[in-house]
Every structure is written in C-alpha cells, then in structure tokens.
Amino acid sequence: MLRIECPCCGPRDHDEFRYGGDASVMRPRHDDPDPESWYRYVYVRKNPPGPHSEFWQHVTGCRQWLVVERDTRNHSILSVGFARK
Amino acid sequence: MSRYSAFSIFRNGLSGQKNWQRAWRAAEPKPAYDVIIVGGGGHGLATAFYLAENHGIRNVAVLEKGYIGGGNVGRNTTVIRSNYLLDGNTQFYEFSVKLWEGLSQALNFNVMFSQRGQIVTAHSADQLDTFSHRANVMRLNGIDADILDRDEVRRLVPYLDFSDTARFPIHGAILQGRAGTARHDAVAWGYARAADGHGVDIIQNCEVTGFVRDGDRIVGVETSKGRIGAGKVGLAVAGHTSVLGQKAGLELPIESHVLQAFVTEPLKPLVDHVVAYGADHFYVSQSDKGGLVFGGNLDGYNSYAQRGNLGIVREVAEAAIALMPCISRVRLLRHWGGVMDMTPDASPIICPTPIDGLYLNGGWCYGGFKATPASGWCFAHTLATGKPHPLIAAYGLDRFRTGHTLDEAGAGPAAWLQ
C-alpha cells in the first residue's frame, strides 16, 4: 500500500485518494491552434521508471488536489504538496 | 531439433529419460543478424518463429533481459477470446483464436489450449441489449456468439449467485463457446523451441541498453553482452516499451501500470468455463491443477514494480464473493503483478516507426496473451515487408494524431481508466 502524507489530514492510505495522472503535463493555451501541442497534452507521456510527479485527490478526506512525487520502481514517496499554487 | 511424438516418449523412456534434447540452445550473440527482436516474451518469440516459418528469415536473434517465461507471458490469467466489438479488433482477435486452434500442431508442443467457453454475465436489460449488439457484430464477422437468458445461465453455471439477495441479479449472459485458456508457460516454451528449430538464436540474460545508429537509421543494439548489428530491430517489450522507446528517441502514448492476478488453493472441478462478472471488473477460470485464477482491475497508477497492493486484493475478493458466494471460505494462495503498457485507447500499437530500421509491437494493455499468435504473425509480416499487415492496419502509432482511436472500453484518453 502507499501511504500518502496529506498536508491537511496527515498520513492516509492511498485507497482514500483518486489518481490524477502525470502532474508535469502542461495544458496548452486555450487558443493554441497547433494540433501537435494538443496531441502531446492529451496522449504523450514520459512514463519514467523512477521519480514521477503526479496528481492525487484526497476524495474521501479533505478533497484537496495534491502533487505527489513517487518513485515508480518501488513506490517510495519523495514529497507531497498542494496542487494549487 | 528432434520432434516430440509418442515414439519419442517411448524411446526416451527406454533410456531412463536421460537423453532428451534441451528445448532450445543456449545461444551466444553473433556479431550481426538480419532481424533482432528485443524481448523474449510470447510476442517476441512468436514473431521470431513466424519470421522464419512464413518469410524464411532465419538469421534472427531474440534478446531477453531475464529468462524465457519470466515476464508478462508468465504473469497473466491465460484467457483467450475474440469477443470484440470494433472493426480492427474483431478481425485481428478472431485470426488469433484461429491460430490458437492449430497452435499445438504448428509448434509440435502441447500448449493445452482448452476451448471451455467464456460467459460474461449481464445484470440489467440494458446490459443484455449491448451484449446482443456485440454478439451480432461478432456473428457478422463469422465469430461464434450466443445470448443466454437467466435460466440458461443458471443451467450452465449454477454456482453463481441466483438468490433473491444477489447484489446485482443476473439477467442473462453472452457466451463465446470457442474462447478458453491455454498453458501460458507452454506457449513461451513452444514458440522458443520452434523458433530455435528454425535457427533463431534465443539469447537470455541479455539486456538492451541502447541503439546503434548510422545517420538516422538504427543498425543495431548495445546490450549487456556487447554490440550486436541488425538489419532491422523490432521492439516487443511490453511494460517497458517507453523505456526503450525513449532510448531510441520515440515519444509514445503509453503509461506503465501494474495488473495483479490471483490464484486460490486447489479445489475439485467447479468452474468449467471462463466466467466474467458484468457488474464489476472480475473474471475467474479454474486451472488444470484446480486453483481458481482471478483477474481484476489495474492498480491504476504508474508503476514499474512487479508487485501489487492490498486494495486490489480486497476489491477482487469482494467481486468474487458477490458473484460466487460458495467460494467465500476458499483461501487465496498467492497473487502476482505484471507491468503493462497502457495506451490511451486500450488498443495495441504494432507498426513501423518514424525511425528507420525500428519497428514497434507494444501497448498491449492487459489483453496481450490472447493476441500472442496473431501479434507474432502480423509483426513478422511487418518486419519482413516493411509494411503493416492488413490485420493491424488500425494499430498504427498515428491513430492518436488523426483521431482514429480504437477505444473498446469507451473510457477516454486516460491510461488508468482503460
């Protein structure tokens, strides 16, 4: 199991969270006309074996969106912070 | 390679079983090959076999970083079926089932393909309607499919929950009678032995660490056993496709996720079919040793760890008991995790790549085992001719750019939803 240290609620089992995918992906500007940048935003992922920055939402807790850095090889959690800036 | 036969069993019995040939040679790499297949799983070995068998290309090496049978080909739930809905999938998977039907003969190796039939339960009138749609599409493509009402399901699989208190009462089911299971290790070993018999070098413990280039063209691979030249390189490394793809400079629409599977203690014969639960993601079959084999959902977050977590164990156990209350006291013996390429539309990618000399076979999500023969057949064709086989025309990498995705699950472009 993963144990995610929620900045609001403290350490919680990851079953309380919903996974939200790669947090390093940036949405193109809404008026960006280039289909290539939308293709990359929707589909292309780096998918690294190692540290991975990703969104998790604490759905059965404070409902905050978090950015978690996690090693995808062994699930060790390197950092947790709020997604809001 | 001497063929297996009743006579070979008799002859080796007379000499105390001491003179069996090894199933494939322990090959060491030559300086160069016509084709190098990276990945000695089911798909890689099948590709090598069909390159030799169908196209006469025998100067081929299969490079496996671990040992044959140690990856996803030995980490699945062995189910084989072709009950697909979308054009492109339907025909491909049916071709695969047809190859499975003759595979033991073709390989001279008993892969124990057992066409016990797959039943998917429906839990509402609406769900049975969508199953009828699917059954019609299958029949129009020449694939067997039957719709069963509640009484017919009950006659076939009386051990499911037909009580008044069932959480999701069974309304009916779709049955594909030609679906079934095969012995997954035998598939790997059978393809390895048959490919080796055609002169293919199967090189184990040989990890590919990079690519050799001549200008823009890939002309070989760097490995833990040194540099090996190649006319063409085919990647068949499900789970790690993006790792190797990045080394070659390919950006791929793939995330790696863990899928777990489970087996219980051995029971007397109970489950004659493959049974899938239409109200949740759960399916069960019984192995030849008697263990019930369970499959369920992805763990659902990026992972390269070949292990799962207890949350999914609980989910799968809950679904198992909701469908089959009679097994509530059966013990789970073990569970295992495999790493797989999840694509945004849950369909595979088999195609030539934009990089000259490099070909890709990956993105199998959790449905790769049933596709093994057809995948090998079509990838071998693609490698030999440089053009996609007609059956995999829909599996190109550019489908995400052009909007021609094959989203069988209808779950949208998030790999962990598929």
Side-chain angles (χ1 to χ4, degrees):
Chain A
M1 306 295 267
L2 310 182
R3 180 151 294 200
I4 297 175
E5 183 99 27
C6 175
C8 288
C9 314
R12 297 299 179 94
D13 188 300
H14 83 276
D15 280 4
E16 294 190 6
F17 296 79
R18 174 199 294 149
Y19 184 62
D22 190 337
S24 68
V25 175
M26 295 298 286
R27 193 178 196 277
R29 282 164 46 92
H30 73 278
D31 56 352
D32 188 336
D34 182 10
E36 184 65 18
S37 52
W38 288 100
Y39 159 73
R40 297 178 56 82
Y41 167 63
V42 177
Y43 293 119
V44 175
R45 296 293 180 267
K46 284 211 183 71
N47 194 25
H52 186 238
S53 165
E54 55 203 20
F55 290 122
W56 291 77
Q57 188 192 12
H58 196 179
V59 282
T60 61
C62 58
R63 301 195 61 80
Q64 292 291 324
W65 278 96
L66 308 175
V67 173
V68 176
E69 198 183 12
R70 179 178 60 89
D71 192 319
T72 58
R73 292 165 301 187
N74 54 24
H75 302 327
S76 65
I77 290 180
L78 312 169
S79 70
V80 182
F82 288 115
R84 62 172 188 246
K85 295 287 187 298
Chain B
M1 180 183 77
S2 65
R3 285 180 67 79
Y4 294 145
S5 63
F7 177 69
S8 77
I9 292 170
F10 177 71
R11 192 187 58 219
N12 281 286
L14 287 180
S15 56
Q17 314 289 359
K18 289 190 182 120
N19 296 309
W20 287 102
Q21 271 185 1
R22 55 182 302 157
W24 60 88
R25 294 163 294 132
E28 284 303 313
K30 292 191 273 190
Y33 293 90
D34 293 340
V35 180
I36 284 181
I37 309 290
V38 185
H43 293 231
L45 293 166
T47 304
F49 171 69
Y50 292 117
L51 271 173
E53 177 91 353
N54 295 352
H55 303 281
I57 301 174
R58 296 177 176 220
N59 186 21
V60 174
V62 176
L63 310 182
E64 167 54 44
K65 79 170 170 184
Y67 59 94
I68 298 302
N72 290 350
V73 71
R75 290 173 181 269
N76 56 69
T77 51
T78 76
V79 176
I80 291 158
R81 59 187 173 82
S82 59
N83 50 356
Y84 281 77
L85 180 69
L86 302 182
D87 254 2
N89 280 338
T90 320
Q91 300 83 359
F92 173 81
Y93 286 103
E94 176 57 13
F95 180 63
S96 203
V97 167
K98 286 191 173 133
L99 288 177
W100 279 109
E101 286 172 332
L103 196 60
S104 294
Q105 292 297 325
L107 298 180
N108 181 230
F109 200 103
N110 186 3
V111 300
M112 297 164 78
F113 182 39
S114 154
Q115 290 179 289
R116 56 189 72 178
Q118 191 204 26
I119 293 168
V120 187
T121 56
H123 299 266
S124 67
D126 295 348
Q127 194 174 16
L128 201 54
D129 279 351
T130 66
F131 283 1
S132 305
H133 175 210
R134 181 175 295 256
N136 287 337
V137 169
M138 289 166 66
R139 286 190 163 204
L140 286 169
N141 280 285
I143 306 167
D144 65 310
D146 289 292
I147 293 294
L148 312 176
D149 65 24
R150 179 177 163 95
D151 290 337
E152 289 168 323
V153 182
R154 190 167 197 167
R155 267 199 299 280
L156 281 179
V157 284
Y159 49 83
L160 302 187
D161 191 351
F162 289 94
S163 70
D164 294 339
T165 55
R167 177 69 183 85
F168 296 104
I170 293 170
H171 210 85
I174 182 172
L175 163 69
Q176 186 185 15
R178 289 160 61 248
T181 63
R183 172 79 199 276
H184 49 4
D185 301 308
V187 174
W189 300 334
Y191 271 118
R193 174 170 167 275
D196 177 89
H198 281 320
V200 170
D201 280 355
I202 294 165
I203 302 162
Q204 304 184 71
N205 300 309
C206 180
E207 183 174 2
V208 170
T209 54
F211 295 90
V212 185
R213 288 163 191 276
D214 177 11
D216 288 339
R217 188 181 166 77
I218 285 186
V219 293
V221 290
E222 302 279 0
T223 75
S224 53
K225 296 194 177 198
R227 177 176 289 200
I228 311 173
K232 291 173 179 172
V233 177
L235 296 184
V237 291
H240 287 69
T241 301
S242 22
V243 176
L244 273 165
Q246 267 195 345
K247 286 180 177 157
L250 272 184
E251 288 182 313
L252 296 169
I254 285 175
E255 284 185 2
S256 297
H257 287 251
V258 160
L259 181 67
Q260 299 182 66
F262 310 83
V263 65
T264 70
E265 60 190 325
L267 306 175
K268 289 195 172 177
L270 169 68
V271 180
D272 295 332
H273 308 80
V274 179
V275 180
Y277 186 24
D280 200 349
H281 196 157
F282 169 77
Y283 55 93
V284 55
S285 64
Q286 188 161 19
S287 80
D288 297 327
K289 282 196 291 189
L292 299 181
V293 181
F294 298 159
N297 264 322
L298 286 180
D299 281 17
Y301 43 87
N302 289 45
S303 176
Y304 285 92
Q306 278 182 326
R307 62 182 185 200
N309 76 63
L310 284 169
I312 300 288
V313 178
R314 190 185 62 208
E315 273 182 29
V316 167
E318 282 169 357
I321 293 164
L323 182 67
M324 293 175 65
C326 62
I327 58 167
S328 65
R329 295 169 71 93
V330 173
R331 280 165 291 208
L332 276 182
L333 277 195
R334 57 197 174 88
H335 70 129
W336 60 93
V339 181
M340 49 216 63
D341 294 344
M342 296 304 297
T343 56
D345 65 353
S347 292
I349 300 167
I350 320 178
C351 58
T353 70
I355 299 169
D356 208 12
L358 186 69
Y359 295 76
L360 179 62
N361 178 343
W364 283 100
C365 301
Y366 33 62
F369 180 70
K370 70 176 97 65
T372 304
S375 161
W377 184 288
C378 296
F379 195 40
H381 175 100
T382 308
L383 278 159
T385 64
K387 296 199 173 60
H389 188 282
L391 279 170
I392 55 164
Y395 295 154
L397 197 47
D398 60 351
R399 69 176 186 268
F400 300 100
R401 273 200 178 80
T402 60
H404 294 87
T405 51
L406 266 81
D407 196 348
E408 188 84 28
W416 64 90
L417 298 178
Q418 298 290 348

